[in-house]
Amino acid sequence: MQINYDNAMTIEFLSNPNNEAFARIAVASFIANLDPTVEEMSDVKTAVSEAVTNSIIHGYENEKGIVKIKVGIINKTVEIEVIDRGKGIEDIEKAKEPLYTTKPELERSGMGFTIMESFMDEMHVESIIGKGTTVFMKKIIKD
Amino acid sequence: MKITYDNANRLLKIEITEEIDHFMAEKIRNKVDFEIQEYIPRKILMDFEKVSFMDSAGIGMILGRYKTAKMLGSSFCITNVKPSIKKILEMSGILKIIPIVEK
């Protein structure tokens, strides 16, 4: 955890789909004292939910693994990292295309990265095949 | 989730009360598909009034039920969509095929 943030936290949990709600609620409560609007809060919760779901169903393909979330706050900027040690993404640009999904049978819409990109102020993905994926996101809470 | 069937109008009303993420979407889809196949309704109305959260899993869930409805010759509409949910639906483009009805 980086000491140069005003505030920071890290959580780790097993890749159980049950934990999708826990993850977004944990992040939401951590940033609550920045006094975000309902919309900003909903944007962050949705983006976290998308990233965590990706780790669970794509990264770990429903096998057991650990998902880690780091949140750091500087002034009114929230930085979030969602990290897994799963299988990694072969083609990140392809994965980010709207409506592209490798799991249509699960009724996945292929909108996850598009939502993260448009709901947050910044988003980028780093991934290594066989090693895992990290999604970095930034949201500036308006005054 | 509360599901009611109006026999006279052959209307299946699905009131979702859960947060819709990947975990819940799977449960909702199983239950709703079961009810649709049970009643073969003429109209299906999915009500989002009590939905406080929805991510992209909701898009797939709605689209999937729309397809089931279409296959059975039923109409499919959604209602009471909050701005946060509408934002996601608009982004996905599914509002071009699935109408929102105002109450």
Side-chain angles (χ1 to χ4, degrees):
Chain A
M1 199 175 312
Q2 285 177 282
I3 209 86
N4 49 342
Y5 284 113
D6 294 338
N7 197 7
M9 71 103 165
T10 301
I11 49 171
E12 272 186 1
F13 48 90
L14 283 182
S15 57
N16 183 335
N18 237 324
N19 287 331
E20 290 156 11
F22 161 73
R24 63 177 176 266
I25 291 163
V27 173
S29 18
F30 186 70
I31 66 164
N33 58 356
L34 293 178
D35 206 17
T37 62
V38 174
E39 191 181 4
E40 286 167 336
M41 192 59 119
S42 161
D43 289 350
V44 171
K45 279 170 80 175
T46 309
V48 168
S49 199
E50 299 294 349
V52 170
T53 305
N54 277 351
S55 290
I56 293 173
I57 64 178
H58 296 288
Y60 293 118
E61 299 195 291
N62 287 318
E63 299 288 320
K64 259 191 190 177
I66 291 169
V67 181
K68 190 195 262 192
I69 302 181
K70 293 187 193 176
V71 185
I73 297 171
I74 303 176
N75 294 322
K76 298 210 86 180
T77 300
V78 182
E79 291 180 4
I80 302 171
E81 284 176 45
V82 179
I83 304 153
D84 69 60
R85 296 282 165 255
K87 68 168 193 172
I89 303 169
E90 243 167 70
D91 186 341
I92 295 174
E93 287 317 305
K94 188 95 191 143
K96 283 159 98 174
E97 278 174 20
L99 305 175
Y100 175 79
T101 179
T102 53
K103 299 213 185 302
E105 74 284 2
L106 294 181
E107 296 192 341
R108 301 301 300 163
S109 63
M111 291 300 289
F113 280 127
T114 308
I115 287 175
M116 288 182 243
E117 257 174 343
S118 56
F119 283 21
M120 302 297 272
D121 292 295
E122 280 177 35
M123 196 280 291
H124 78 271
V125 187
E126 284 173 12
S127 191
I128 300 168
I129 294 294
K131 297 264 184 221
T133 300
T134 300
V135 176
F136 300 86
M137 298 185 278
K138 197 183 270 191
K139 180 83 172 173
I140 300 158
I141 305 300
K142 309 266 179 332
D143 276 315
Chain B
M1 185 166 35
K2 201 177 132 201
I3 298 181
T4 48
Y5 185 61
D6 169 358
N7 219 342
N9 295 307
R10 290 181 60 198
L11 168 71
L12 186 72
K13 195 178 157 202
I14 302 149
E15 208 180 319
I16 301 175
T17 49
E18 293 84 4
E19 298 202 336
I20 309 174
D21 57 13
H22 149 253
F23 177 70
M24 282 315 300
E26 227 171 85
K27 297 189 180 306
I28 293 167
R29 115 177 165 186
N30 291 339
K31 174 86 175 131
V32 171
D33 278 357
F34 176 82
E35 299 289 343
I36 293 176
Q37 273 147 25
E38 181 86 355
Y39 292 109
I40 321 273
R42 198 152 47 106
K43 292 182 222 158
I44 300 167
L45 181 66
M46 203 172 253
D47 190 332
F48 289 82
E49 190 182 0
K50 302 217 167 79
V51 179
S52 54
F53 175 84
M54 187 182 98
D55 68 16
S56 72
I59 301 167
M61 189 278 290
I62 295 170
L63 198 58
R65 307 299 69 68
Y66 163 78
K67 286 181 183 161
T68 311
K70 213 176 152 196
M71 213 167 61
L72 296 168
S74 319
S75 72
F76 184 90
C77 300
I78 56 177
T79 191
N80 284 322
V81 178
K82 290 187 185 73
S84 61
I85 295 176
K86 201 169 178 187
K87 198 164 144 184
I88 290 173
L89 294 178
E90 271 167 352
M91 209 174 279
S92 72
I94 68 170
L95 294 180
K96 286 179 199 130
I97 53 168
I98 299 171
I100 297 181
V101 293
E102 310 292 342
K103 279 218 170 144

